[in-house]
Each structure stands twice: as C-alpha cells, then as structure tokens.
Amino acid sequence: MSRFRMYPTPAQRAALLEQCKHARYVWNLAVEQWSMWTRDKGPTPGYVKQCRQLTEARAAFSWLRLGVQTIQQQALRDFNQAVKNFYRGTHQRPTWRKVEIHEGFRIVGPEASKVVKLNRKWAAANVPKVGWVRFRLSRAVPEAKSYRIKRDRTGRWHIAFAAIPDPIPGPGTGAVVGVDRGVTVSAALSTGELLKCPGPSESEQARLKHLQRRLARCSPGSKRRRRVKAAIAKLYARAGDRRKDWTEKTSTDLARRFDVIRVEDLRIAQMTRRPKPKPSPEQPGSYLPNRRRAKAGLNRGILVNGWGMLVRRLEHKALGRVQKVNPAYTSQTCAACGHCAPGNRESQAIFRCVACGHQVNADVNAAVNIAAGRAVSARRETPVRVSPKREPQLATPAW
Ligand SMILES: [Zn+2]
C-alpha cells in the first residue's frame, strides 16, 4: 500500500467527508444485516441482494442518492470481502464504522486511473463529485486498479493505492525459518531472534491514560473535548505509522534472508487458541477476561492486527514461499526431544521440558516447532498448507 498525503481544499474536504458518510452508512447497514444473521441463523443477503437494497435505499433517501453509486457499491463489496477474510481466519470480525474514526472510501475501476502528475512534487486524483484533489508526491505513484481515500483521526487526508509489492527473491540456500506470534514479543524466530513491533512507549502510555481521564471529565460537545480527542487520535496515529513501518521492514528482511517461511495457520489458530472463558468465582455466570487479552492491554490492537498484516505482506514479498503450519501443541512440545506436555510451559515466557530439561524462550521453542513444519498434534501429523502462488489477495481496508 503506498500512501500519499492529500491536501484537499476546504470545499473538497466537505465533499470528501460526505462520500465517507455514505460509504459508512452502507457498510453499517451490511454489518447490521450480517449480525442479525449470526444471531438467528436465517438466510443472509448476498451481495446481489444487498445491491438491490442499496438501490431501494437510494430511492428512499435523497442524501444517499446525491452520492456516488460506485462508491456505495464498493463499500458493500469491501464488506463482503471482510466477511470472507473473517471466515478464512486472517482478519478480525468486521465491525461498525464510526464517525470521525472511520472516514474513508474506495474508488475502483476506470475512475481510479484518473490520476495526473502536476509537477515534480505534486499530483492530483479526480475523485467523483469532488474534483481534482492534490496530493504530495513523496515517491512514484504505483500502477494500481484502485485507491482508498482516508482521513485519519488527526484530520490528515491520505490517498493509498492498493499496489501489491513486488516479490523479493530469496537467498537460494534453502534456509527455513519458523515465525511464531509471541505473547511477550511480537514475533519470535526459530533462529532465536525476538522481534518487537514498537508499541506505545511508557511515556505515551502514561499520556494516553492521562488524556483518557481528562476526556471523561469533559462535557459532551465541548471544544475542550474535541481538543483532547484530537490529542488521543494523534497518539494512535503515530503508533499506527510505526507499526506499518515495522511490518514493511520485517517482511522484507525475512523474505530476503529465508527461502521458506513457516507461520502458524491462523485459521486453525483461531480454533485452537480461542479464549477458554473461566467462570468467575465471585459472580457465577460471568467470565473472567481472557489472559492474553488482558496482558496485551494497550498493545492489543498492535499484536492482533500487526500479525495479520505481517503475514499478508510476507505472502506478497515471499511469493509462494510462505507455508502455513497447524499450530496445535507447538507451545507445549519440546523442540529438542519432542516431548509434549502442558507442564513444559514453566511460565508465559519460559519453556522448560519436563523430560529432557531443555530450557528456552517459550516463543522461540514454538517457532522452532513451526520451522520443523511438524504439526505436533498428539495423534496425527498434518501436512503444511502452501500459500497460493498466484493472485495474492488484495489487502482489505486496514482501519
Ligand atoms: Zn525435551
């Protein structure tokens, strides 16, 4: 995804926000229908039926009719892709989009090619019903069939072209690496390296806490509240930028250093690692929060979303060289002797084998098991799943 800072005029900003509103309205309508389906298990409307409903909604609401139909249809298509990604296990469940947080829409097809270079530093995109909006050329504009326009929480506008990065050749030595999504670090490699995605610093966390407390005291709709919210948004935006940067660097590095990259199969991971709720002793019927969740705290979003983003990028850059391994028992099995027991896990961070005494960082142990490609199930060995070589999935909107 290559992203450029966009500088719309005040009038264009208003027009862009209007399109964002339409896309959000349509998306949320789809979320509502889908969530009703998961509750009642009735038939869920498919894309075609949803399009018909969109036509009806446009007939009923003049404000929606004023918008661009293709943008609204694209929001539906994006939603359907998001649902598919969710069932594939690579993405989180699609959720409601909120004002000021989720401001964006996507342009696909011939409209997306209306981009011109103005001079060395500036280019412009012709956005339907908005006009030519200028953006800063921080690098060359990639060939892309679609782009997304988005406003972040601090009010910065960006245009992002959905270009899939070129594959990077591997070293050709046959080097294999296992990558485990860690609890204490973002990713552990079977080489023993621990990679940490930069999260919020101590001072940033403190500031966030302080701002959130202040926000709670602000009266709704006040100027002060808006200012505090903007400051919070800035913190999140900065963390997001850092995370993206880390993902690009890490995926490039791994694709360059190793010929085969084995990661856990998220689809299976989702089933095996689903939080097992423990009944709360104080309040029967209620559940204690999941440990991994509670631990992650502020880093939660980074850990959860960062992983999917890293795997997606790896699949693009190390094209056809990413293999997915069943992660069952990788955290309980000794990478040295193969003994599998829940007692092997001395703590969240340390692995110590009860049979051979092998002691190592728990995430590294899991990464070595993943690198070996053995689906260390107690009963059977499961073959590894190779990622498709052709047509990598376009990244869905990363909010
Ligand atoms: Zn052992």
Side-chain angles (χ1 to χ4, degrees):
M1 189 74 64
S2 63
R3 209 168 63 137
F4 301 87
R5 181 85 184 267
M6 213 171 200
Y7 294 87
T9 64
Q12 287 177 336
R13 247 176 275 157
L16 287 172
L17 273 177
E18 198 61 25
Q19 305 292 2
C20 295
K21 186 175 134 190
H22 298 158
R24 185 172 54 239
Y25 175 82
V26 170
W27 173 283
N28 284 342
L29 212 62
V31 172
E32 195 180 338
Q33 287 178 340
W34 186 57
S35 64
M36 270 161 60
W37 169 75
T38 40
R39 244 182 281 129
D40 309 333
K41 302 276 180 215
T44 178
Y47 173 67
V48 176
K49 201 175 164 202
Q50 278 176 340
C51 274
R52 214 177 306 132
Q53 283 167 344
L54 175 62
T55 311
E56 282 165 24
R58 280 171 66 90
F61 304 112
S62 59
W63 62 269
L64 199 62
R65 199 161 52 239
L66 285 173
V68 184
Q69 188 160 15
T70 50
I71 289 179
Q72 295 164 13
Q73 277 171 352
Q74 193 52 46
L76 279 184
R77 255 179 242 131
D78 287 346
F79 177 79
N80 280 295
Q81 186 60 48
V83 170
K84 269 187 215 147
N85 291 343
F86 169 67
Y87 286 125
R88 265 197 328 189
T90 52
H91 291 65
Q92 303 271 105
R93 168 182 283 273
T95 52
W96 293 90
R97 290 190 172 168
K98 297 185 187 123
V99 184
E100 288 199 1
I101 296 172
H102 304 123
E103 300 286 8
F105 59 88
R106 207 143 80 93
I107 302 280
V108 177
E111 293 284 355
S113 58
K114 292 179 183 167
V115 176
V116 292
K117 196 174 165 181
L118 300 173
N119 55 44
R120 215 161 46 82
K121 285 181 176 165
W122 292 91
N126 193 358
V127 184
K129 296 216 175 171
V130 178
W132 290 97
V133 188
R134 299 207 308 162
F135 62 92
R136 182 107 184 146
L137 276 179
S138 41
R139 73 205 93 111
V141 176
E143 286 280 323
K145 290 192 184 76
S146 76
Y147 62 75
R148 167 169 288 272
I149 289 179
K150 197 177 151 188
R151 198 192 76 151
D152 71 12
R153 294 193 218 186
T154 64
R156 295 181 300 179
W157 287 91
H158 287 102
I159 182 167
F161 295 90
I164 291 167
D166 288 331
I168 297 170
T173 56
V176 179
V177 73
V179 189
D180 181 49
R181 168 172 49 159
V183 178
T184 48
V185 291
S186 307
L189 306 189
S190 52
T191 56
E193 287 161 88
L194 302 171
L195 309 179
K196 205 167 158 65
C197 175
S201 68
E202 295 266 312
S203 67
E204 278 174 329
Q205 291 197 33
R207 181 160 159 73
L208 185 62
K209 232 178 185 172
H210 166 78
L211 286 170
Q212 277 166 341
R213 238 180 274 131
R214 245 176 72 186
L215 186 70
R217 286 198 303 266
C218 294
S219 45
S222 67
K223 241 189 198 159
R224 223 180 114 194
R225 188 183 159 83
R226 233 180 304 149
R227 262 208 311 273
V228 175
K229 269 183 106 167
I232 291 176
K234 210 174 221 166
L235 276 179
Y236 274 108
R238 213 182 299 149
D241 288 350
R242 249 183 338 222
R243 186 178 67 214
K244 280 195 192 103
D245 198 48
W246 178 84
T247 306
E248 293 301 342
K249 278 187 184 143
T250 306
S251 53
T252 299
D253 179 55
L254 290 175
R256 219 174 254 154
R257 281 171 59 201
F258 302 98
D259 281 321
V260 178
I261 299 158
R262 295 204 171 116
V263 297
E264 55 185 339
D265 192 335
L266 281 170
R267 220 172 113 173
I268 301 169
Q270 206 180 33
M271 292 187 285
T272 51
R273 285 198 181 170
R274 180 162 293 171
K276 282 200 187 87
K278 290 179 198 131
S280 163
E282 290 100 73
Q283 287 168 286
S286 77
Y287 291 99
L288 289 171
N290 174 248
R291 187 125 141 271
R292 183 187 270 261
R293 272 234 164 124
K295 237 194 146 73
L298 261 177
N299 280 311
R300 188 173 64 202
I302 292 168
L303 284 175
V304 173
N305 300 325
W307 181 256
M309 202 151 67
L310 180 65
V311 172
R312 221 155 40 239
R313 269 298 178 255
L314 278 173
E315 284 182 325
H316 292 156
K317 292 180 183 172
L319 191 60
R321 297 190 281 125
V322 177
Q323 297 181 347
K324 294 184 171 172
V325 177
N326 181 346
Y329 303 103
T330 45
S331 62
Q332 293 179 12
T333 304
C334 174
C337 75
H339 182 71
C340 176
N344 282 349
R345 201 66 183 265
E346 188 170 284
S347 69
Q348 193 76 262
I350 298 166
F351 180 95
R352 185 187 285 151
C353 180
V354 292
C356 76
H358 178 62
Q359 188 177 326
V360 69
N361 175 293
D363 295 328
V364 171
N365 179 72
V368 174
N369 285 330
I370 290 169
R374 57 175 165 234
V376 262
S377 127
R379 267 177 236 104
R380 59 193 168 91
E381 299 245 328
T382 323
V384 292
R385 227 163 44 105
V386 181
S387 299
K389 238 182 193 126
R390 300 206 161 265
E391 285 180 50
Q393 280 291 323
L394 271 182
T396 33
W399 288 103

